[in-house]
Amino acid sequence: MNARDRTDLITRYTEETVTEEEIETLLEEREDPHAYIGYAPTGEMHIGHFTTMRKLADFVAAGLEVTVLVADLHAHLDDEKSPFELLEARSTYYEEAIRGMIEAAGGDPDDVEFVRGTDYQLEEPYTLELYRLIADTTISRAKRAGSEVVRQSDNPKLGGLVYTLMQSLDVLALDADIAYGGIDQRGIYMLSRELFDDDEKPACVFAPLLSGLTGGKMSASDATSKVNLTDSPDQVDEKIQGAYCPQGEVEDNGVLEYLEYLVFPVFDERGEVLTVERPEEYGGNLVYETYDELETDYVSGELHPADLKPGAAAAISEVIDPVRERLTSQPDLLADAYPDTYD
RNA sequence: CCGCCCUUAGCUCAGACUGGUAGAGCAGUCGACUGUAGAUCGACUUGUCCCCCGUUCAAAUCGGGGAGGGCGGACCA
């Protein structure tokens, strides 16, 4: 693969790349540039995480060295979302879930290096650099950078601001050439690019954030707005059945987005196609090899939501199935990480 | 260290002055209408009124103590 093809692979199904030229140049000059994604082990992982993780298989295929940072300290710094005592259990669960997602997406988890925040964030040179950033950055600048990521409240703690600076610094600490994450991470990595020299600042790749199933954004606090990795086929079916899904409309349509960014990319990797069962009275079954074909039928009205939903639910279940199996076969993982939910 | 304010449904809050079986909006659940969902109607559900003690026939409400949160003052060789 040449640099151009590798760049295309790295940037496909993404929301934004900063900048494509930088990435192509990087690939021309270096054999195996280094990409990283960080996750704070807070709440249970869901289908939105899966669409983001799927890309790591593309990264590996494009010849990037890939690191996943399990940012344990960040999970506590962001409004104490994870209690200090649970950081270890949640980090273990996150790593296992992420391995499962990479494998389900057709990648080999062993091609990815896992790092914990506490592996390097508690000592020099990291701490010293962090203090310099703290001294150098205004409160309003840090607040703006982290506003889409850090939990907002009337009485925010300092943790949220330190969180933002730490994540900006992680790029350097991990020696990453490319910072990857959801588009919500944009502000933080733009701060990174602003703070550091040209030869240190990261190129960025951002994944789209999928709409929630209830219309609008996916919400951590609303179980019906998203499919969890451990949802049974029946639960998935129930959630998709209840999803906001206006006929012919693509806007804010979580069901279609799940298909575009998760189901079809994974099916493509596995060599599968999507079958939509439809009663004879409405024209009989349909088979789709690509998302574009499906969207065209949906927009034209040929494909009705009531027929799409069961087919989409089955396909989603099929995609998350290996991850669900992996997690439910180790019940202690979730029980230890979320004792209040699984007692 | 001192002073003041706040704590009521999943969320935002009213009710407290003047004690009498705890409310609204949003959210949620269920029906109707759609070949899905939403929207729109219709119905329904929701409580340790932060905790303890006291006064009273009766306390979310009054008094005392405590916890958590917020704001301000003072100190600053």
Side-chain angles (χ1 to χ4, degrees), chain A residues 256 259-260 263-268 271-278 282-305 307-309 311-312 315:
Chain A
L256 288 181
L259 292 172
E260 179 176 11
V263 172
F264 276 103
V266 171
F267 271 27
D268 187 46
E272 296 181 36
V273 295
L274 180 73
T275 302
V276 173
E277 290 184 19
R278 185 169 64 172
Y282 295 118
N285 293 358
L286 295 164
V287 176
Y288 295 103
E289 287 182 25
T290 66
Y291 172 77
D292 286 345
E293 294 166 23
L294 183 145
E295 187 184 291
T296 302
D297 273 6
Y298 190 79
V299 171
S300 76
E302 169 66 17
L303 176 57
H304 191 277
D307 295 320
L308 171 66
K309 280 183 168 181

Side-chain angles (χ1 to χ4, degrees), chain A residues 106-124:
Chain A
D108 181 352
D110 290 336
D111 287 338
V112 170
E113 189 189 355
F114 284 84
V115 175
R116 295 269 172 97
T118 41
D119 288 345
Y120 65 90
Q121 289 165 347
L122 296 175
E123 51 200 47
E124 284 195 63

Side-chain angles (χ1 to χ4, degrees), chain A residues 15 27 60 123 126 128 178 193 195-196 211 243 303:
Chain A
E15 178 81 15
L27 292 165
V60 170
E123 51 200 47
Y126 190 91
L128 192 58
I178 298 171
R193 287 172 64 87
L195 289 172
F196 305 125
S211 298
L303 176 57

Side-chain angles (χ1 to χ4, degrees), chain A residues 50-123:
Chain A
F50 200 166
T51 62
T52 308
M53 300 312 314
R54 196 209 57 77
K55 267 233 70 69
L56 298 188
D58 287 344
F59 284 180
V60 170
L64 295 181
E65 196 180 296
V66 176
T67 296
V68 172
L69 167 65
V70 178
D72 47 5
L73 284 179
H74 282 84
H76 188 68
L77 282 171
D78 186 6
D79 202 30
E80 299 170 286
K81 280 179 180 170
S82 289
F84 228 78
E85 318 81 68
L86 290 179
L87 291 181
E88 176 64 29
R90 289 189 179 178
S91 296
T92 303
Y93 155 71
Y94 260 59
E95 180 167 336
E96 190 62 17
I98 290 168
R99 283 180 183 279
M101 288 184 263
I102 293 171
E103 191 162 75
D108 181 352
D110 290 336
D111 287 338
V112 170
E113 189 189 355
F114 284 84
V115 175
R116 295 269 172 97
T118 41
D119 288 345
Y120 65 90
Q121 289 165 347
L122 296 175
E123 51 200 47

Side-chain angles (χ1 to χ4, degrees), chain A residues 221-232:
Chain A
S221 56
D222 179 5
T224 62
S225 79
K226 62 191 193 302
V227 168
N228 282 326
L229 295 179
T230 50
D231 282 347
S232 69

Side-chain angles (χ1 to χ4, degrees), chain A residues 3-191:
Chain A
R4 184 64 253 164
D5 292 341
R6 293 167 77 194
T7 304
D8 286 343
L9 185 54
I10 288 167
T11 60
R12 70 170 182 168
Y13 303 121
T14 60
E15 178 81 15
E16 184 183 8
T17 303
V18 182
T19 64
E20 209 162 307
E21 291 70 29
E22 285 179 38
I23 289 182
E24 196 168 342
T25 304
L26 198 61
L27 292 165
E28 281 164 357
E29 291 173 352
R30 302 260 305 282
E31 194 46 48
D32 52 353
H34 184 194
Y36 108 100
I37 180 167
Y39 269 111
T42 52
E44 277 189 64
M45 303 197 89
H46 52 72
I47 196 165
H49 293 109
F50 200 166
T51 62
T52 308
M53 300 312 314
R54 196 209 57 77
K55 267 233 70 69
L56 298 188
D58 287 344
F59 284 180
V60 170
L64 295 181
E65 196 180 296
V66 176
T67 296
V68 172
L69 167 65
V70 178
D72 47 5
L73 284 179
H74 282 84
H76 188 68
L77 282 171
D78 186 6
D79 202 30
E80 299 170 286
K81 280 179 180 170
S82 289
F84 228 78
E85 318 81 68
L86 290 179
L87 291 181
E88 176 64 29
R90 289 189 179 178
S91 296
T92 303
Y93 155 71
Y94 260 59
E95 180 167 336
E96 190 62 17
I98 290 168
R99 283 180 183 279
M101 288 184 263
I102 293 171
E103 191 162 75
D108 181 352
D110 290 336
D111 287 338
V112 170
E113 189 189 355
F114 284 84
V115 175
R116 295 269 172 97
T118 41
D119 288 345
Y120 65 90
Q121 289 165 347
L122 296 175
E123 51 200 47
E124 284 195 63
Y126 190 91
T127 46
L128 192 58
E129 278 305 315
L130 180 61
Y131 291 131
R132 294 180 63 180
L133 292 184
I134 287 173
D136 187 51
T137 310
T138 64
I139 291 174
S140 57
R141 182 69 188 89
K143 210 185 281 183
R144 179 160 66 85
S147 64
E148 290 292 318
V149 175
V150 170
R151 180 179 283 168
Q152 305 292 301
S153 75
D154 289 341
N155 300 295
K157 308 282 204 297
L158 286 177
L161 300 178
V162 175
Y163 177 116
T164 300
L165 293 179
M166 284 175 65
Q167 188 174 333
S168 296
L169 181 58
D170 284 336
V171 175
L172 286 204
L174 294 170
D175 206 22
D177 304 298
I178 298 171
Y180 172 58
I183 189 67
D184 56 325
Q185 308 292 316
R186 194 180 195 283
I188 292 179
Y189 292 128
M190 290 307 115
L191 177 61

